[in-house]
Amino acid sequence: MPISIRPLRASYPAFAGEVSGIDITRPIGREDITAIEAGMDTHAVLVFRGQDLTDEQQLAFTLNFGVLERYKTPGHVRKREDNRLGPGIADFSNLDKHGNIMSPEDRVWFFKLGDHLWHSDSSFRPVPAKYSLLSGRIIPSWGANTEFADMRGAYDALDARTKAEVEDLVCEHSLIYSREAIGFTDLTPEEIAAFRPVRQRLVRTHPVTGRKSLFLSAHAGAILGWTVPEARMFLRDLTEHATQREFVYSHAWRPGDLVMWDNRATMHRARRFDRHEVRDVRRTTLAGNAPTVEQEPVA
Ligand SMILES: [Fe+2]
């Protein structure tokens, strides 16, 4: 039986869908892969319920849609030897390598708190991510939703003057900006060097659908040719516009959910939960295929 996709929001059906009729713990065929890709191009966020995935199964499902993103420099501060999970799977839990809940003073926890700001995964990398796939293994009893904003709809809804203004703008993105926004500025010289800003277009065009979207992210902290205060205020205004309720789907997690989103068309953020409860969610990330703009040559 072919898969079916049901819009998750009646009032805004073009964004976020729930997939049924498929077991993604097993290998899937070309027809299903094509249907899921088409669903991603339409909805940008897809939810699969009741998928009791192992890490190996999550990786195998992910690889149907591209190649894993791999970078030598980390996107966070956890040392490799402190990893709880194997290669290819990013740990977005609040657990340390021994399976204990992190201390609230753990620097890894500070980095995770930055994910509560609206962002697009790896926008601080020269080639930002394609899809992210987040698997909910253990879900806290309260809060912890993940919210998604449709950056295509947000772009379409801009007035003509603003569309013309943003068209050719280029931003600088860095983890330094998003962590500074929550008051976490205690970065080592190595981290500062690793998080050197990269350039991203503010308006990007989806490589498959050709639709334009706003490429915003908490990692964006400057606009080329603008003063920093002017740039930050404009980015904040645009983010407020793009994250109005009409463009947002808020995912309430159940154990066994797999949520897949296209970073090239969406932003997302984590919501609060009781940090004394375990939240075990695991992410696989697919590499994008091109930078959005030429990078500054490294001196
Ligand atoms: Fe994220």
Side-chain angles (χ1 to χ4, degrees), residues 115 119 121 261 268 283:
D115 292 334
H119 66 282
D121 288 335
W261 64 89
H268 60 279
R283 195 181 88 194

Side-chain angles (χ1 to χ4, degrees), residues 255-291:
D257 287 353
L258 184 285
V259 182
M260 179 172 178
W261 64 89
D262 189 343
N263 288 294
R264 302 167 303 181
T266 60
M267 278 204 293
H268 60 279
R269 65 172 175 177
R271 302 311 321 262
R272 292 186 72 228
F273 62 98
D274 181 345
R275 58 169 306 285
H276 300 99
E277 289 186 35
V278 173
R279 178 176 189 244
D280 188 350
V281 293
R282 303 180 185 197
R283 195 181 88 194
T284 38
T285 314
L286 291 172
N289 54 2

Side-chain angles (χ1 to χ4, degrees), residues 142-155:
W142 174 85
N145 279 20
T146 304
E147 294 188 336
F148 297 91
D150 184 358
M151 305 307 286
R152 308 161 304 176
Y155 173 81

